[in-house]
Amino acid sequence: MSIFTVSGSPHVHGEENVKKIMYTVVFAMVPAMLVSIYFFGIDAVRVLLISVISSLFFEWVIQKYLLKGPVTINDGSAIVAGILLGFNVPANIPAWMIIMGSLVMIGVAKMSFGGLGNNPFNPALVGRVFMLISFPVQMTSWPVAKPLFAPQLTDAITGPTALGLLKEGVDAGKTIEQIVSDPQMPQYLDRLLGNMSGSLGEISAVALLLGGIFMVYRKVIDWQLPVSIILTVFAVAGIFHLIDPQHYIEPSFHIFSGGLMLGAIFMATDMVTSPMNMRGKIVYGIGVGLLTIIIRLWGAYPEGISFAILIMNAFTPLINNAFKPKRFGIALKK
Amino acid sequence: MNKLRTFTIGGVHPKENKLSEQSSITVLPLPKQLVIPLGQNLGAPPKPVVKKGDEVKTGQLLARAEAFISANIHSPASGKIAKIDEAMDASGYKRQAIIIDVTGDEWVEGIETSTSLNKEISLSKQEIISRIKECGLVGLGGATFPTHVKMMIPEGKIAEYLIINGVECEPYLTSDHRLMLEKGDEMLVGIQIMMKALGTEKAIIGIENNKPDAIAHLKKLAVNYNGISIQPLKVKYPQGGEKQLIKAVVNREVPSGKLPIEVGCVVSNVGTAFAVYEAVQKNKPLIERVVTVTGTSLSKPSNFLVRVGTPVSDLIAAAGGLPEDTGKLINGGPMMGKAVSSPDIPIVKGSSGILLIKKVESKRSTPQSCIRCSKCTVVCPMGLEPYLLAKLSKLSVYDKAEKERIMDCIECGSCQFTCPSSLPLLDFLRLGKQRVGHLIRTRK
Ligand code: SF4
Ligand code: SF4
C-alpha cells in the first residue's frame, strides 16, 4: 500500500504569500510614479530605474557572493525598497549618489541584519538619511515641477519646496501671511495634485492616497496607522496655529506638504519595522506624528518625517512588548 | 438585514469545498474483519472483558471503562474475537486493539433496531446519565470526551444553556450537515434528553449560514420541542471551537484555562445528540457513526454510516477508489485533521471524515523568514501572537511562552493557514505547548 505524506495540520494554506504582498505595494506606488514622471519627465524614470536596478543588483551580489545562500531577489522586496528610495530623492540627483544610497540601504540597513524581516530600521529611510547627510546640497535642491508637454515658463531649474520656504521664512522672522504670498509658494490645488518641487514620490497627496486606499483594501496595511500620524500632526499644528496664527501656519499645510503623506502611507507602515498589534500601531503613529511636527516646527530641518519614523522604528520592540492584542477570555467584563 | 452572529476575535475563511453535501447518508456493508482500538476516547482506555476465541454479538460489551474519564466499547458486529493485539490506529502508532472476525450482524437482546421515532422520554436524570455511560458515548465532534462525564455538572454550577454544535466549520466535512437533514427529529429528542440530564431549560443549535437547508429544516422541526432554538451564524473558521461557539451564540467568554460551565454553558455536537437519542431511547451503544469521505480527485465524495473498526480503505473503495494522485490521507478535516501514512487503519468513534489530498497540494511551500506582517496575530481566535510564540518555542524560552499564554492556543491552525511566509507556526506551537504543559505539571 502507498505511504502518504505525514505532516502536522493545517493541511491547506491560504492565498497569501510574500511576493503577492510586495507586488501589491509596487502596484500601490504606480499612481505616485506616474505623477512623478508627469512632473519631472525623463529624470523621474532615470532615478527610479537606477534605484531599482541597483537595489536588485546589490541584493543579488550580497546573497550570492557574501552570504553564499539562496538568492531571493524575485520576492519583490528589493523592488519595493528601490522604488521607495527613488521616491525620497530629488529627480535631478546624480546617478552615483543614488547607487551609493542603494548600497547603504540594501547592504547596511537590510542584508547585514539578516535580510527581509530582520531589519530593525526602514531600509529606504536609512538610505535616504545617509544621502541627506553625505550629499546635503544635492539632496536639498529640487527641480521645479513642470507638467509633461507644458512649455517652459520660467528659467528656474531648481526651486525650494513648500516646507523649505516656510522654514526659511519663519527663521527670517516673516509672518505666515508674508510667507504664503511668496510667488514661489505652490497653491493649494497644486500641492494636492503634485505640481510643486519636492522629492519624486512625495509631491502628489492624491496619488499617494489612492495607493494607500488600495493597500488598505488588500489588507497590506492598517488604515489606523497612517491616520494616527496625520491626525497627530494636524492636531499639534492646529493647536499652535490657533494660539499664534502669525507664526504657525494652518495645519493642513503640513499634511499636504513635504514627505508626510509618503511617509505616513508607505514608509511608516512598513510591516517589518512597525509594531505588530493594533494599539501598538496607533501609539507608534502618534509618536511618528509628534516627532515629525516637533522637528518641522522647531528643528533644524524643514522636514521631519524620516527621522521621526526611524526613531519610532527603534521603539518598535518596546511597543510590541507593551501593547498586546486583546486576548480571548482575559479581563472579563461582567 | 440584521448582522449574523459570530465570534469576535480573529478567524479565517478557508475554501469550503463541501463536495459531499448533497450525498445522502448510505450504510456501508460490514467488513470481514474489524479492528477496534481500545484508546478511542479522551482519558484512560477501557479494559477488555472478552478474550481470544470468544463469540460476540452486535452491541455486546467488549471493554469496560474503569477510570472516571473513560468510555465503554461494544462490539460493532457479531463474530469471533480473533485476537487482542497491537494494531496501527489513526495516531500512526501501534496500540492495543480487539480484532474481530465478522460472521454476521446478530444483535444482543434488549437493543431496539427499528428506526421508528420515539419522542417519549421516560428515564430519569440519573438513569439517562448511567445509560449514556453504559453505551460508551463520547463527543463525536472529534474531541471524544466521554459524554456522561460532561453531563455531570460540578457542585455549585448550573448549566444555563446547552449549546449544540452544528457549525461544521472544517472545510470538506459534511457528516453533521447530512445528519441534521436526515435525522433532525432524533437529534432534537437527543437534545431534550441532554437538557433533562443537565437540568437546562434552554438549548441553542448553532449552524453556519452556508447550510440554509439545515437551518430551515431544524427551525421547522424545533417548534415541536420546548426550549430548543436555532441560531444561524456567519461562516467563519474556527467557529466550531467550543469557546468560539459559546462566544458566537450567547456572547460569553470562557475565561482562560476554564471550562464552558464557568459561564453556564455545556457544549455538545449534533452527532453526539443523535447518539444520545439512540442510547437512551433505543438502548443502542455507540458502535457506528457518520463519516464523510471526500477529496477533489475522488470520484464519489460520500457520507457513510459506518461501524467502528471498519478499515478506512473500505470507505475509500466505496467512494470510488483511491485516486492515483493522492499524496496525503487526512483523518478529519483539512484544518485540524491528522495526516496518516496508510489507509489500513480503522474508523473510530472520533473519526468525522476521511480527506484525500492531491500530491501537488500535499507539499508545503518553502518557509521564508517572518516579515512581521502580523497577519497571524490578526487571525488568531484566542488573541495570541503566533509569530512570537513560535519563536519562543524555537528558542526554548518556555517560561516566556507560558506568560504569553501559549496554553490558550486551541491548535486551530488559522495562523499557519494565513502566514504569507508559509512558516510552520503550529508545529512550533505544539512543541512549545507540550514543553510548557510538562513544566506546569512538574511544578504541581
Ligand atoms: S493555532 Fe493557536 S496560535 Fe494559531 S491561530 Fe489557532 S489558537 Fe492562535
Ligand atoms: S503571518 Fe507569518 S510572516 Fe506574518 S507575522 Fe505571522 S509568522 Fe510572521
Side-chain angles (χ1 to χ4, degrees), chain B residues 307-354:
Chain B
R307 296 286 166 92
V308 167
T310 306
V312 164
S313 50
D314 276 22
L315 279 78
I316 297 173
L322 188 73
E324 276 288 303
D325 63 354
T326 305
K328 228 182 196 183
L329 174 64
I330 312 294
N331 179 25
M335 293 300 286
M336 290 185 82
K338 265 192 78 110
V340 290
S341 61
S342 145
D344 300 321
I345 53 159
I347 290 292
V348 291
K349 292 176 181 176
S351 320
S352 49
I354 298 296

Side-chain angles (χ1 to χ4, degrees), chain A residues 328, chain B residues 160-161 243 246-248 250-254 263-265:
Chain A
F328 187 101
Chain B
E160 230 177 297
Y161 293 102
K243 293 183 172 180
I246 295 172
K247 178 73 185 174
V250 292
N251 195 23
R252 294 184 184 178
E253 247 176 60
V254 180
V263 291
C265 295

Side-chain angles (χ1 to χ4, degrees), chain A residues 245-256:
Chain A
Q246 282 288 306
H247 292 97
Y248 295 96
I249 201 159
E250 51 86 28
S252 76
F253 180 90
H254 281 286
I255 309 295
F256 297 113

Side-chain angles (χ1 to χ4, degrees), chain B residues 376 379-382 384 386 389 408-416 426 429:
Chain B
C376 51
V379 300
C380 177
M382 298 307 290
L384 308 177
L389 295 172
D408 281 356
C409 169
I410 58 169
E411 304 187 22
C412 68
S414 301
C415 49
Q416 188 170 327
L426 188 46
L429 279 155

Side-chain angles (χ1 to χ4, degrees), chain B residues 9 42 203 213 263 265 301 320 327 370 395 414:
Chain B
I9 305 178
L42 198 101
D213 49 353
V263 291
C265 295
C370 170
L395 301 174
S414 301

